[in-house]
Amino acid sequence: MAVGVFDSGLGGLTVLDAVAKRLPDVDFVYYGDNANAPYGVRDADDVLALTRAAVSRLWDEGCDLVILACNTASAAALRRMQEGGLPEGKRVLGVFVPLIEALTERDWGDNSPPREVDVKHVALFATPATVASRAFQRELAFRAIGVDVEAQACGGVVDAIEDGDMILADALVRSHVDALLRKMPEPDAAMLGCTHYPLMEEVFQEALGTKVRVFSQAGLVAESLADYLIRHPNMRGGGAVSKFLTTGDAPKVSNRATAFLRRKIIFEAA
Ligand code: DGL
């Protein structure tokens, strides 16, 4: 039994790690499209085509349920894939909604009309494609009123993390936070709207200051998946083992993943 977890590269491992800890008896197949990362500088059609290919590969592995642990794919592809119709018995879930439900203090599936919430000024950090899609603002508007969102497209951060250049990633995060604070000097909350960014969460928090509450997706997605699987136990899928697939250079990706998760991770060719 396995659930698929997909990202353009290494960022989805932050989600994989949290869901694997939360659901130790569920197997997961991870697919990193490292050969084509970053997605954040691609156009929506391109991201859709790459996401479709990755998701079908995970369906072939017996994963009836696939988590798009990538905001860029969730923003550009999820709605179009769902509207286009999925094969019988297959499901694809994104990572936005758990984050926005946490921000707006809602329980899963609470579809009541939008209402006022505690946070008023929210900083969103995401890839250029996710920011351009305005998908966060759209999902937020379904649930909350009176929230001012300032978005910062964090060019270069995903590339630096994929290259293992954490000094560059650190400098870029600080400069993107500075740019955001010039537009919104006192955010109440910050959303890390890219699954690579939890790897830099301490830097975001330090640069933003302790007064800003930083929301990151991994733990929230894990809770939401646990809840989903209780309601849909048949969606655990038909795969038999946990494994890690990459379109990139498997030994190189394995080394970076091992360093990030601080446990041995071995990728194989997708
Ligand atoms: N982890 C992906 C996300 O959440 C990164 C996208 C990219 O490859 O630029 O958006």
Side-chain angles (χ1 to χ4, degrees):
M1 310 283 257
V3 171
V5 178
F6 159 68
D7 182 42
S8 61
L10 296 165
L13 290 172
T14 59
V15 173
L16 183 275
D17 201 36
V19 294
K21 282 184 181 139
R22 177 67 182 80
L23 298 160
D25 56 341
V26 176
D27 285 312
F28 292 95
V29 179
Y30 186 85
Y31 182 109
D33 191 9
N34 302 74
N36 294 305
Y39 280 14
V41 291
R42 294 175 179 275
D43 68 29
D45 287 343
D46 206 4
V47 174
L48 176 64
L50 292 168
T51 304
R52 273 196 211 284
V55 169
S56 2
R57 177 72 178 82
L58 285 166
W59 285 336
D60 292 345
E61 284 289 328
C63 303
D64 292 340
L65 173 63
V66 175
I67 313 292
L68 300 187
C70 175
N71 291 271
T72 309
S74 302
L78 182 59
R79 186 179 278 221
R80 285 164 81 190
M81 284 178 76
Q82 287 171 338
E83 282 170 2
L86 300 176
E88 179 74 30
K90 308 291 184 203
R91 291 281 178 285
V92 183
L93 298 177
V95 282
F96 284 174
V97 171
L99 183 62
I100 288 169
E101 284 176 344
L103 186 81
T104 56
E105 305 142 33
R106 279 179 182 245
D107 291 330
W108 196 94
D110 172 356
N111 290 326
S112 58
R115 56 178 182 254
E116 286 216 33
V117 292
D118 271 357
V119 289
K120 300 285 178 234
H121 304 285
V122 174
L124 166 66
F125 296 95
T127 66
T130 300
V131 169
S133 75
R134 298 187 60 80
F136 267 94
Q137 288 90 329
R138 193 176 56 235
E139 290 295 337
L140 189 62
F142 291 138
R143 295 169 177 83
I145 45 175
V147 183
D148 179 21
V149 177
E150 192 65 64
Q152 177 66 29
C154 299
V157 176
V158 168
D159 313 54
I161 293 172
E162 288 289 315
D163 289 345
D165 190 343
M166 304 314 275
I167 294 173
L168 177 60
D170 183 308
L172 287 169
V173 166
R174 288 177 197 279
S175 104
H176 288 304
V177 170
D178 272 0
L180 184 288
L181 292 177
R182 281 198 292 277
K183 297 180 280 183
M184 178 182 271
E186 292 190 355
D188 313 314
M191 292 193 283
L192 303 189
C194 168
T195 53
H196 282 68
Y197 300 170
L199 294 165
M200 307 303 296
E201 188 166 340
E202 283 173 21
V203 184
F204 274 103
Q205 185 74 70
E206 199 184 298
L208 284 160
T210 46
K211 282 198 200 143
V212 182
R213 180 163 173 215
V214 175
F215 287 78
S216 90
Q217 285 164 320
L220 300 170
V221 172
E223 280 315 312
S224 161
L225 176 63
D227 197 45
Y228 182 89
L229 289 178
I230 289 169
R231 286 176 294 106
H232 303 92
N234 56 323
M235 294 311 295
R236 285 172 172 227
V241 282
S242 288
K243 59 170 113 165
F244 294 84
L245 304 172
T246 178
T247 55
D249 175 348
K252 203 163 111 187
V253 174
S254 304
N255 285 341
R256 301 242 159 90
T258 299
F260 285 143
L261 295 195
R262 298 192 184 95
R263 64 182 166 94
K264 188 87 188 145
I265 304 285
I266 299 177
F267 273 83
E268 50 192 274

